[in-house]
Amino acid sequence: MNRLFHVPLSPFCRKVRLVLAEKKIEVELIEERYWERAADFLRRNPAGKLPILRFEGLTLCESQAICEFLEESFPNPALMPLGPAERAEVRRLVFWFDDKFHKEVTSNLLYERVNKKITGEGYPDSRNVKAGAQAIKFHLDYLGRLLEERRWLAGDSMTLADFAAAAHLSALDYISDVDWNRNANLREWYAKIKSRPAFRSLLADQVPGFPPPPHYADLDF
Amino acid sequence: MNRLFHVPLSPFCRKVRLVLAEKKIEVELIEERYWERAADFLRRNPAGKLPILRFEGLTLCESQAICEFLEESFPNPALMPLGPAERAEVRRLVFWFDDKFHKEVTSNLLYERVNKKITGEGYPDSRNVKAGAQAIKFHLDYLGRLLEERRWLAGDSMTLADFAAAAHLSALDYISDVDWNRNANLREWYAKIKSRPAFRSLLADQVPGFPPPPHYADLDF
């Protein structure tokens, strides 16, 4: 059986889980307490990061390398357009989320409020939480503007960019840190992606000590 | 004329410059004082990051999205292998450098010593410099181990992984922060990549206030 080593609220793990589910590739999910830095874990990925995908004898690391591997190996359904310019736009947005949004928002909100407690690093730093709560507004507005002219974030079809965005936003939604009333286009986009069968496993996640709010798993949120 | 907006010592810009030069794609290099956040710059890339490539009417952002675009549009000479598993290994190493090495080493050494002064943010924080000087040892050792079994970092041929690594290491070498005596395999690898014609423009870089050491541009370093 193929295995994905992950933690439930990690946006990088969620992105890979969404791609696997959308392509109907079954894997066993194994929670890895990455902060304990077990020898087996570091042998699989010397970078000390999740997700790690064990797939048909291969050990694959780095979420975007895994997603591109899955797209190349299982091209249907396609999560990347065919033209190089359109593909560059998908990747630009993936990195927007995995780098900029991650640094300005996810780290300041999710990691402060949840990860610090789980890993025993202590209490949230309120300055970081404030900075994250401020920064997410810019990002939600930017996504709203993109969606004024596009059905999906990178264009007319659903791509890895939508999954990267949904991975971060769904993890933040688990702790009620996304104001879905800020932009109607964005809310509509999230309702669309959230109702896909691939999303179900994410909506069923439960992190001990952090019960999700009722709207988290509600498709009519 | 196609244009690359860049700053000389940025490893992300250097990676793209190496790929462009290796594929013999001529561009005009334009230095962008990104920290001044000019309106034109932010219009080109709302993420406020470099490099930005203006290419035949397209505006391309995010270094890895640009590199993949160039690889797809100009497949010769190839900087990616053909098999999905081999491509995943290239991308794993690219992200190793652009994420892990960047955070643990480049930010702590180059950004503390050089960028802070250029952008007027003040003096280096000696704790960060110490942390970077400690962390680079682990990374040099890891690369040395990879090169015990491989001619190039990701396998038998030169790929984007080598350029990502060389982009970071060359920028650090500009400020004498790489101990090339630590590993003979790594030194040999760097001598090989440094002697490529694509590297010449990087070796000619001059940052005002930071003259490079004599060994920086010396192919027999």
Side-chain angles (χ1 to χ4, degrees):
Chain A
M1 181 76 177
N2 296 316
R3 292 174 159 194
L4 184 74
F5 297 88
H6 83 127
V7 285
L9 292 187
S10 153
F12 302 98
C13 300
R14 289 186 156 218
K15 180 176 62 169
V16 172
R17 288 166 70 194
L18 287 170
V19 171
L20 287 165
E22 192 71 24
K23 291 183 181 287
K24 301 198 168 46
I25 302 166
E26 284 193 22
V27 297
E28 184 185 357
L29 290 177
I30 298 182
E31 282 197 44
E32 174 71 52
R33 298 165 68 88
Y34 63 88
W35 59 95
E36 294 179 354
R37 300 178 68 75
D40 270 356
F41 165 57
L42 292 176
R43 192 175 39 71
R44 286 189 196 100
N45 186 5
K49 290 162 68 182
L50 293 171
I52 300 169
L53 180 64
R54 283 282 303 163
F55 189 79
E56 295 177 6
L58 296 169
T59 301
L60 302 166
C61 307
E62 288 296 333
S63 71
Q64 193 53 19
I66 296 173
C67 290
E68 300 260 8
F69 169 86
L70 293 170
E71 183 66 13
E72 290 171 355
S73 305
F74 304 91
N76 292 309
L79 296 176
M80 286 282 273
L82 292 176
E86 291 73 29
R87 294 163 74 82
E89 177 64 359
V90 171
R91 293 186 178 115
R92 176 183 79 83
L93 288 167
V94 168
F95 297 123
W96 178 289
F97 279 91
D98 286 352
D99 183 49
K100 185 179 177 69
F101 188 93
H102 176 252
K103 190 157 53 190
E104 297 175 357
V105 181
T106 311
S107 299
N108 282 329
L109 295 176
L110 186 70
Y111 297 176
E112 288 292 337
R113 292 198 208 272
V114 179
N115 296 33
K116 270 192 170 177
K117 182 161 179 203
I118 291 177
T119 61
E121 285 171 275
Y123 294 97
D125 182 324
S126 64
R127 286 164 306 181
N128 293 345
V129 173
K130 253 184 216 161
Q134 186 59 35
I136 196 174
K137 295 178 192 170
F138 160 79
H139 286 274
L140 298 180
D141 292 349
Y142 180 64
L143 296 178
R145 280 202 304 284
L146 286 180
L147 291 166
E148 282 171 18
E149 300 179 353
R150 301 173 178 186
R151 285 189 59 216
W152 296 93
L153 288 180
D156 278 344
S157 56
M158 189 184 67
T159 66
L160 292 179
D162 297 288
F163 284 179
H168 283 269
L169 289 170
S170 65
L172 290 165
D173 194 37
Y174 188 98
I175 52 170
S176 297
D177 267 342
V178 184
D179 174 8
W180 295 111
N181 290 324
R182 195 167 173 93
N183 187 288
N185 294 332
L186 185 66
R187 187 195 190 106
E188 198 185 317
W189 165 85
Y190 190 61
K192 213 161 48 173
I193 202 163
K194 189 177 179 179
S195 64
R196 299 187 75 80
F199 231 85
R200 277 181 209 149
S201 136
L202 273 58
L203 298 181
D205 278 342
Q206 292 278 349
V207 181
F210 295 91
H215 77 267
Y216 171 70
D218 185 354
L219 297 184
D220 190 22
F221 60 100
Chain B
M1 183 74 176
N2 296 316
R3 294 173 157 192
L4 184 75
F5 297 88
H6 84 127
V7 286
L9 292 187
S10 153
F12 302 98
C13 299
R14 287 186 158 220
K15 181 176 62 168
V16 171
R17 287 165 70 194
L18 288 170
V19 172
L20 286 165
E22 192 70 25
K23 291 181 181 287
K24 301 197 168 48
I25 302 166
E26 286 194 19
V27 296
E28 183 184 357
L29 289 178
I30 298 182
E31 282 196 44
E32 174 73 50
R33 299 167 67 86
Y34 63 88
W35 58 94
E36 295 179 354
R37 300 179 68 75
D40 269 359
F41 165 57
L42 292 177
R43 192 175 38 72
R44 286 190 194 98
N45 186 5
K49 290 163 68 182
L50 292 170
I52 300 169
L53 179 64
R54 281 283 301 163
F55 189 81
E56 296 178 3
L58 295 170
T59 301
L60 302 166
C61 306
E62 288 296 333
S63 71
Q64 193 52 20
I66 296 173
C67 290
E68 300 260 8
F69 170 87
L70 293 170
E71 184 65 13
E72 290 171 354
S73 306
F74 304 92
N76 292 309
L79 297 176
M80 286 283 271
L82 291 177
E86 291 73 28
R87 295 164 73 83
E89 177 64 0
V90 171
R91 292 186 178 114
R92 177 183 79 84
L93 288 166
V94 168
F95 297 124
W96 178 289
F97 280 92
D98 286 353
D99 183 49
K100 186 179 177 70
F101 188 94
H102 176 253
K103 191 157 50 189
E104 296 175 358
V105 182
T106 311
S107 298
N108 282 329
L109 295 176
L110 186 71
Y111 296 176
E112 288 292 338
R113 292 199 209 272
V114 179
N115 295 34
K116 270 191 170 177
K117 182 161 179 205
I118 291 177
T119 61
E121 284 170 276
Y123 294 98
D125 181 324
S126 64
R127 285 164 305 180
N128 293 344
V129 172
K130 252 183 216 161
Q134 186 58 34
I136 195 173
K137 295 177 191 169
F138 161 79
H139 286 275
L140 297 181
D141 293 347
Y142 180 63
L143 296 179
R145 279 202 305 282
L146 286 181
L147 290 166
E148 280 171 20
E149 300 180 353
R150 301 173 177 186
R151 286 189 58 217
W152 296 92
L153 288 180
D156 279 343
S157 57
M158 188 183 68
T159 66
L160 291 179
D162 298 287
F163 283 179
H168 282 269
L169 289 169
S170 65
L172 291 165
D173 194 38
Y174 187 98
I175 53 171
S176 296
D177 268 342
V178 184
D179 174 10
W180 295 113
N181 291 324
R182 194 166 175 93
N183 187 288
N185 294 332
L186 186 65
R187 187 195 190 105
E188 198 185 316
W189 165 85
Y190 191 61
K192 213 160 49 171
I193 202 162
K194 189 177 178 179
S195 65
R196 298 188 75 79
F199 232 85
R200 277 182 207 148
S201 136
L202 272 59
L203 298 180
D205 278 342
Q206 292 279 347
V207 180
F210 294 91
H215 78 267
Y216 172 71
D218 186 353
L219 296 185
D220 191 21
F221 59 101

